[in-house]
Each structure stands twice: as C-alpha cells, then as structure tokens.
Short mmCIF file of all heavy atoms in Angstrom, two decimals:
data_model
loop_
_atom_site.label_atom_id
_atom_site.label_comp_id
_atom_site.label_asym_id
_atom_site.label_seq_id
_atom_site.Cartn_x
_atom_site.Cartn_y
_atom_site.Cartn_z
N GLU A 1 75.36 132.76 146.68
CA GLU A 1 75.13 131.41 147.24
C GLU A 1 76.12 130.37 146.79
O GLU A 1 76.28 129.32 147.44
CB GLU A 1 73.71 130.96 146.85
CG GLU A 1 72.56 131.79 147.46
CD GLU A 1 71.25 131.21 147.12
OE1 GLU A 1 71.20 130.24 146.31
OE2 GLU A 1 70.22 131.74 147.62
N GLY A 2 76.80 130.59 145.67
CA GLY A 2 77.75 129.62 145.20
C GLY A 2 77.65 129.49 143.69
O GLY A 2 77.45 130.51 142.95
N GLY A 3 77.81 128.28 143.18
CA GLY A 3 77.80 128.12 141.72
C GLY A 3 77.88 126.59 141.38
O GLY A 3 77.74 125.76 142.28
N TYR A 4 78.16 126.28 140.14
CA TYR A 4 78.26 124.88 139.77
C TYR A 4 79.20 124.77 138.57
O TYR A 4 79.49 125.70 137.86
CB TYR A 4 76.90 124.29 139.42
CG TYR A 4 76.21 124.89 138.21
CD1 TYR A 4 76.48 124.38 136.93
CD2 TYR A 4 75.33 125.93 138.30
CE1 TYR A 4 75.85 124.84 135.82
CE2 TYR A 4 74.68 126.49 137.20
CZ TYR A 4 74.93 125.93 135.95
OH TYR A 4 74.37 126.45 134.84
N VAL A 5 79.67 123.57 138.38
CA VAL A 5 80.49 123.18 137.25
C VAL A 5 79.65 122.24 136.39
O VAL A 5 79.21 121.15 136.86
CB VAL A 5 81.81 122.53 137.68
CG1 VAL A 5 82.62 122.06 136.42
CG2 VAL A 5 82.65 123.53 138.45
N ALA A 6 79.50 122.63 135.15
CA ALA A 6 78.84 121.72 134.15
C ALA A 6 79.88 121.03 133.32
O ALA A 6 80.86 121.71 132.85
CB ALA A 6 77.84 122.51 133.28
N SER A 7 79.76 119.78 133.12
CA SER A 7 80.74 119.08 132.30
C SER A 7 80.11 118.06 131.42
O SER A 7 79.00 117.55 131.74
CB SER A 7 81.78 118.42 133.21
OG SER A 7 81.19 117.35 134.01
N GLU A 8 80.80 117.72 130.37
CA GLU A 8 80.27 116.77 129.39
C GLU A 8 81.42 116.07 128.68
O GLU A 8 82.43 116.68 128.41
CB GLU A 8 79.37 117.45 128.37
CG GLU A 8 78.63 116.50 127.47
CD GLU A 8 77.59 117.23 126.61
OE1 GLU A 8 77.73 118.48 126.44
OE2 GLU A 8 76.72 116.58 126.02
N ARG A 9 81.27 114.84 128.33
CA ARG A 9 82.21 114.08 127.49
C ARG A 9 81.49 113.00 126.68
O ARG A 9 80.34 112.76 126.95
CB ARG A 9 83.31 113.45 128.35
CG ARG A 9 82.91 112.22 129.09
CD ARG A 9 84.11 111.56 129.76
NE ARG A 9 83.73 110.27 130.34
CZ ARG A 9 84.52 109.60 131.14
NH1 ARG A 9 85.71 110.09 131.53
NH2 ARG A 9 84.09 108.40 131.62
N GLY A 10 82.24 112.46 125.73
CA GLY A 10 81.62 111.41 124.89
C GLY A 10 81.28 111.91 123.51
O GLY A 10 80.42 111.28 122.82
N TYR A 11 81.86 113.03 123.09
CA TYR A 11 81.50 113.58 121.78
C TYR A 11 81.99 112.69 120.65
O TYR A 11 81.49 112.75 119.54
CB TYR A 11 82.22 114.98 121.62
CG TYR A 11 81.61 116.02 122.52
CD1 TYR A 11 82.22 116.29 123.76
CD2 TYR A 11 80.47 116.71 122.16
CE1 TYR A 11 81.64 117.27 124.61
CE2 TYR A 11 79.91 117.69 122.97
CZ TYR A 11 80.50 117.96 124.22
OH TYR A 11 79.93 118.93 125.02
N LEU A 12 82.96 111.80 120.95
CA LEU A 12 83.43 110.94 119.86
C LEU A 12 82.40 109.82 119.50
O LEU A 12 82.58 109.19 118.48
CB LEU A 12 84.74 110.26 120.33
CG LEU A 12 85.98 111.14 120.39
CD1 LEU A 12 87.18 110.32 120.86
CD2 LEU A 12 86.27 111.74 119.04
N ARG A 13 81.38 109.65 120.32
CA ARG A 13 80.37 108.68 119.91
C ARG A 13 79.67 109.13 118.60
O ARG A 13 79.55 108.33 117.72
CB ARG A 13 79.34 108.52 121.05
CG ARG A 13 78.27 107.48 120.72
CD ARG A 13 77.27 107.46 121.83
NE ARG A 13 76.22 106.46 121.61
CZ ARG A 13 76.27 105.16 121.94
NH1 ARG A 13 77.37 104.73 122.64
NH2 ARG A 13 75.33 104.34 121.73
N GLU A 14 79.23 110.36 118.59
CA GLU A 14 78.67 110.88 117.35
C GLU A 14 79.65 110.88 116.19
O GLU A 14 79.34 110.66 115.02
CB GLU A 14 78.07 112.25 117.60
CG GLU A 14 77.38 112.85 116.39
CD GLU A 14 76.20 112.09 115.81
OE1 GLU A 14 75.70 111.20 116.57
OE2 GLU A 14 75.84 112.26 114.64
N ALA A 15 80.94 111.22 116.56
CA ALA A 15 81.98 111.21 115.52
C ALA A 15 82.10 109.75 114.99
O ALA A 15 82.29 109.55 113.76
CB ALA A 15 83.32 111.63 116.06
N GLY A 16 81.97 108.77 115.85
CA GLY A 16 82.01 107.40 115.37
C GLY A 16 80.92 107.05 114.38
O GLY A 16 81.11 106.39 113.40
N ASN A 17 79.69 107.54 114.73
CA ASN A 17 78.58 107.36 113.85
C ASN A 17 78.82 108.00 112.46
O ASN A 17 78.53 107.40 111.43
CB ASN A 17 77.27 107.93 114.44
CG ASN A 17 76.79 107.12 115.63
OD1 ASN A 17 76.96 105.90 115.61
ND2 ASN A 17 76.19 107.75 116.58
N LEU A 18 79.35 109.24 112.51
CA LEU A 18 79.61 109.94 111.27
C LEU A 18 80.73 109.23 110.46
O LEU A 18 80.56 109.11 109.18
CB LEU A 18 80.03 111.38 111.55
CG LEU A 18 78.94 112.32 112.06
CD1 LEU A 18 79.52 113.62 112.49
CD2 LEU A 18 77.82 112.52 111.01
N VAL A 19 81.76 108.76 111.13
CA VAL A 19 82.85 108.04 110.47
C VAL A 19 82.35 106.78 109.84
O VAL A 19 82.72 106.43 108.70
CB VAL A 19 84.01 107.75 111.43
CG1 VAL A 19 84.98 106.74 110.84
CG2 VAL A 19 84.72 109.10 111.81
N PHE A 20 81.40 106.08 110.55
CA PHE A 20 80.87 104.86 109.97
C PHE A 20 80.11 105.11 108.72
O PHE A 20 80.23 104.38 107.72
CB PHE A 20 80.00 104.15 111.03
CG PHE A 20 79.31 102.92 110.45
CD1 PHE A 20 80.02 101.72 110.37
CD2 PHE A 20 77.98 102.91 110.11
CE1 PHE A 20 79.44 100.59 109.85
CE2 PHE A 20 77.36 101.79 109.64
CZ PHE A 20 78.08 100.61 109.52
N HIS A 21 79.23 106.10 108.70
CA HIS A 21 78.49 106.44 107.50
C HIS A 21 79.39 106.95 106.37
O HIS A 21 79.17 106.65 105.21
CB HIS A 21 77.40 107.49 107.82
CG HIS A 21 76.32 106.95 108.65
ND1 HIS A 21 76.30 106.93 110.03
CD2 HIS A 21 75.10 106.34 108.29
CE1 HIS A 21 75.17 106.37 110.49
NE2 HIS A 21 74.43 106.02 109.47
N LEU A 22 80.43 107.70 106.79
CA LEU A 22 81.39 108.19 105.77
C LEU A 22 82.12 106.98 105.14
O LEU A 22 82.44 106.98 103.98
CB LEU A 22 82.34 109.14 106.42
CG LEU A 22 83.45 109.72 105.51
CD1 LEU A 22 82.84 110.56 104.38
CD2 LEU A 22 84.44 110.60 106.32
N SER A 23 82.43 106.00 105.99
CA SER A 23 83.20 104.82 105.51
C SER A 23 82.41 104.06 104.41
O SER A 23 82.99 103.52 103.53
CB SER A 23 83.49 103.85 106.68
OG SER A 23 82.32 103.23 107.17
N ILE A 24 81.04 104.08 104.52
CA ILE A 24 80.26 103.44 103.52
C ILE A 24 80.50 104.13 102.16
O ILE A 24 80.62 103.49 101.08
CB ILE A 24 78.78 103.46 103.87
CG1 ILE A 24 78.57 102.64 105.19
CG2 ILE A 24 77.89 102.84 102.77
CD1 ILE A 24 77.16 102.68 105.70
N LEU A 25 80.53 105.48 102.17
CA LEU A 25 80.79 106.22 101.00
C LEU A 25 82.20 105.92 100.44
O LEU A 25 82.39 105.81 99.23
CB LEU A 25 80.68 107.75 101.23
CG LEU A 25 79.26 108.28 101.40
CD1 LEU A 25 79.29 109.71 101.77
CD2 LEU A 25 78.45 108.09 100.11
N VAL A 26 83.14 105.81 101.36
CA VAL A 26 84.54 105.48 100.95
C VAL A 26 84.61 104.12 100.25
O VAL A 26 85.23 103.95 99.20
CB VAL A 26 85.51 105.55 102.10
CG1 VAL A 26 86.91 105.15 101.68
CG2 VAL A 26 85.56 106.98 102.68
N VAL A 27 83.95 103.11 100.87
CA VAL A 27 83.91 101.77 100.25
C VAL A 27 83.24 101.85 98.90
O VAL A 27 83.73 101.25 97.93
CB VAL A 27 83.17 100.84 101.19
CG1 VAL A 27 82.98 99.48 100.49
CG2 VAL A 27 84.01 100.58 102.48
N MET A 28 82.14 102.54 98.78
CA MET A 28 81.44 102.65 97.53
C MET A 28 82.29 103.30 96.48
O MET A 28 82.31 102.93 95.27
CB MET A 28 80.09 103.37 97.68
CG MET A 28 79.10 102.60 98.58
SD MET A 28 77.63 103.56 98.99
CE MET A 28 76.83 103.74 97.37
N ALA A 29 83.04 104.32 96.90
CA ALA A 29 83.94 105.07 95.94
C ALA A 29 85.03 104.13 95.46
O ALA A 29 85.38 104.13 94.28
CB ALA A 29 84.53 106.29 96.63
N GLY A 30 85.58 103.30 96.38
CA GLY A 30 86.57 102.33 96.01
C GLY A 30 86.08 101.34 95.03
O GLY A 30 86.75 100.98 94.07
N VAL A 31 84.92 100.78 95.33
CA VAL A 31 84.28 99.83 94.44
C VAL A 31 84.02 100.46 93.03
O VAL A 31 84.25 99.87 91.98
CB VAL A 31 83.00 99.26 94.99
CG1 VAL A 31 82.27 98.37 94.03
CG2 VAL A 31 83.32 98.45 96.28
N ALA A 32 83.51 101.68 93.07
CA ALA A 32 83.21 102.38 91.78
C ALA A 32 84.53 102.60 90.98
O ALA A 32 84.51 102.43 89.77
CB ALA A 32 82.51 103.70 92.09
N ALA A 33 85.61 103.01 91.70
CA ALA A 33 86.87 103.23 91.02
C ALA A 33 87.36 101.94 90.31
O ALA A 33 87.82 101.91 89.22
CB ALA A 33 87.93 103.74 91.97
N GLY A 34 87.21 100.81 91.05
CA GLY A 34 87.61 99.52 90.46
C GLY A 34 86.79 99.14 89.28
O GLY A 34 87.28 98.62 88.28
N SER A 35 85.48 99.43 89.35
CA SER A 35 84.58 99.10 88.24
C SER A 35 84.80 99.96 87.03
O SER A 35 84.61 99.49 85.90
CB SER A 35 83.13 99.23 88.73
OG SER A 35 82.84 98.33 89.75
N LEU A 36 85.19 101.23 87.24
CA LEU A 36 85.35 102.15 86.09
C LEU A 36 86.76 102.06 85.49
O LEU A 36 86.91 102.08 84.29
CB LEU A 36 85.10 103.59 86.59
CG LEU A 36 83.69 103.94 87.04
CD1 LEU A 36 83.66 105.36 87.64
CD2 LEU A 36 82.76 103.92 85.80
N PHE A 37 87.77 101.90 86.34
CA PHE A 37 89.15 102.04 85.83
C PHE A 37 89.91 100.70 85.88
O PHE A 37 91.09 100.72 85.51
CB PHE A 37 89.92 103.10 86.63
CG PHE A 37 89.30 104.46 86.60
CD1 PHE A 37 88.55 104.93 87.65
CD2 PHE A 37 89.46 105.26 85.48
CE1 PHE A 37 87.98 106.21 87.59
CE2 PHE A 37 88.91 106.53 85.38
CZ PHE A 37 88.13 106.99 86.46
N GLY A 38 89.32 99.69 86.32
CA GLY A 38 90.01 98.38 86.38
C GLY A 38 89.44 97.41 85.40
O GLY A 38 88.64 97.71 84.51
N TYR A 39 89.92 96.18 85.55
CA TYR A 39 89.40 95.07 84.67
C TYR A 39 89.55 93.77 85.39
O TYR A 39 90.32 93.62 86.40
CB TYR A 39 90.14 95.01 83.32
CG TYR A 39 91.51 94.36 83.37
CD1 TYR A 39 91.68 93.01 83.22
CD2 TYR A 39 92.68 95.17 83.56
CE1 TYR A 39 92.95 92.46 83.24
CE2 TYR A 39 93.94 94.56 83.62
CZ TYR A 39 94.06 93.23 83.43
OH TYR A 39 95.29 92.64 83.50
N GLN A 40 88.89 92.72 84.89
CA GLN A 40 88.99 91.41 85.44
C GLN A 40 88.91 90.46 84.29
O GLN A 40 88.05 90.56 83.40
CB GLN A 40 87.87 91.12 86.45
CG GLN A 40 87.93 89.71 87.08
CD GLN A 40 86.96 89.57 88.16
OE1 GLN A 40 87.05 90.19 89.22
NE2 GLN A 40 85.92 88.72 87.95
N GLY A 41 89.83 89.53 84.25
CA GLY A 41 89.86 88.51 83.17
C GLY A 41 90.22 87.19 83.71
O GLY A 41 90.77 86.99 84.81
N GLY A 42 89.91 86.16 82.93
CA GLY A 42 90.22 84.79 83.31
C GLY A 42 90.81 84.02 82.17
O GLY A 42 90.51 84.22 81.01
N VAL A 43 91.67 83.08 82.53
CA VAL A 43 92.25 82.21 81.49
C VAL A 43 92.60 80.85 82.12
O VAL A 43 92.95 80.76 83.30
CB VAL A 43 93.58 82.85 80.89
CG1 VAL A 43 94.57 83.08 82.05
CG2 VAL A 43 94.15 82.03 79.79
N ILE A 44 92.36 79.81 81.31
CA ILE A 44 92.77 78.45 81.74
C ILE A 44 94.08 78.10 81.05
O ILE A 44 94.17 78.14 79.80
CB ILE A 44 91.65 77.46 81.38
CG1 ILE A 44 90.40 77.69 82.25
CG2 ILE A 44 92.15 76.02 81.58
CD1 ILE A 44 89.30 76.74 81.97
N VAL A 45 95.07 77.76 81.83
CA VAL A 45 96.40 77.47 81.32
C VAL A 45 96.74 76.02 81.73
O VAL A 45 96.69 75.69 82.93
CB VAL A 45 97.46 78.40 81.90
CG1 VAL A 45 98.86 78.11 81.32
CG2 VAL A 45 97.07 79.87 81.63
N THR A 46 97.11 75.17 80.73
CA THR A 46 97.53 73.83 81.05
C THR A 46 98.97 73.88 81.61
O THR A 46 99.76 74.77 81.20
CB THR A 46 97.45 72.93 79.83
OG1 THR A 46 98.21 73.55 78.73
CG2 THR A 46 96.03 72.71 79.39
N VAL A 47 99.23 72.99 82.55
CA VAL A 47 100.55 72.95 83.14
C VAL A 47 101.60 72.65 82.04
O VAL A 47 101.43 71.70 81.28
CB VAL A 47 100.57 71.89 84.24
CG1 VAL A 47 101.95 71.76 84.86
CG2 VAL A 47 99.57 72.21 85.36
N GLY A 48 102.59 73.45 82.02
CA GLY A 48 103.61 73.38 81.02
C GLY A 48 103.52 74.41 79.93
O GLY A 48 104.44 74.65 79.16
#
C-alpha cells in the first residue's frame, strides 16, 4: 500500500536545558575556586 517518512528535530532544546543546569555547576565551581584559592583585601591610601 505504500509507506511513510517519520521525522523529528529540536533535540537541542533539551541540550539547552542540560547546558543551563550544567552552567550553574560551572558558576558554583568558579565561585568555590575563588573562595578557596583567592583572597580579597582592602586598604585606604591617602593621595601622595
């Protein structure tokens, strides 16, 4: 009798979701690296 063609696209939508959630982990890892291996200091210096 014939047949059919099945097709699909849009797989990157779920990839986008996964990348977004992965990015949160990457940001957290960056913040953690700064907190563990970095420092922050302040000083007031008069002009001159």
Side-chain angles (χ1 to χ4, degrees):
E1 293 185 356
Y4 66 87
V5 175
S7 65
E8 187 173 19
R9 78 175 185 189
Y11 292 95
L12 288 179
R13 183 184 181 89
E14 179 60 19
N17 288 329
L18 290 173
V19 167
F20 177 76
H21 289 90
L22 180 63
S23 70
I24 298 176
L25 285 176
V26 174
V27 171
M28 293 173 68
V31 173
S35 299
L36 292 173
F37 300 102
Y39 77 88
Q40 180 173 292
V43 60
I44 291 180
V45 182
T46 55
V47 176

